[in-house]
Amino acid sequence: MKIKDYYIKTKNVIEENRKSIYVYSLIFTLAFSIFNRILGIVKESVWHETISIYYFILAIIRGILIRYIYKSNTKEKEILIYRFIKILLVILNTLLIFPIVLLIMNKRVVEMTLISSIVVALYVTIKTSVTITQFVKKRKEENILFRELRSINMMDVIVSILTLTNTLIAVNSTEFDIGMYYLTIAVSIVGYTVNIFLLTRLRER
């Protein structure tokens, strides 16, 4: 099968099962939050505790959107939900400052197992592949709640990449490395900037 044919087939499968994928994505996000919570307890890592809270709130936001996306809403109610979610996203991105500051201050766990990195890498890979496919497929989506959910999925990918970066640094570095430190700062700043850009691009029309 050619790559193009495989890509088209994948897009069709995602489109036909979009609601189920959104629900599975919600469950996956919640599971990732629990995973980081466990790491926070085991490794006594404040960084993983803050990321756990971030993903838990993200799961709640996703749940609210999924609940109303497939209901018959008036235009006024749709806009109200959209604005409410946007406020929650502003709060969520404000909370994201805390784990980023912890990374920049090097207040993170410095030793992690290969299994942890594999779990994070798996989360990033699955999220990225599904999100990008949906983003390209539905870039002209007219429903504002769908557009909002699509942007949230992209934000999820950005933060998960930040989490993966921290995990890989922790796995491959047992002591302070100035090169890794600058890499952490660069990834954190770029990731947060992209998230804010996605948030500011959210429009009701």
Side-chain angles (χ1 to χ4, degrees), residues 156-173:
D156 184 2
V157 169
I158 298 300
V159 177
S160 63
I161 291 174
L162 179 64
T163 305
L164 178 61
T165 301
N166 172 65
T167 303
L168 293 178
I169 291 175
V171 169
N172 294 286
S173 179

Side-chain angles (χ1 to χ4, degrees), residues 118-133:
I118 291 174
V119 171
V120 177
L122 179 64
Y123 181 87
V124 174
T125 302
I126 294 175
K127 282 288 183 178
T128 302
S129 59
V130 174
T131 298
I132 290 179
T133 302

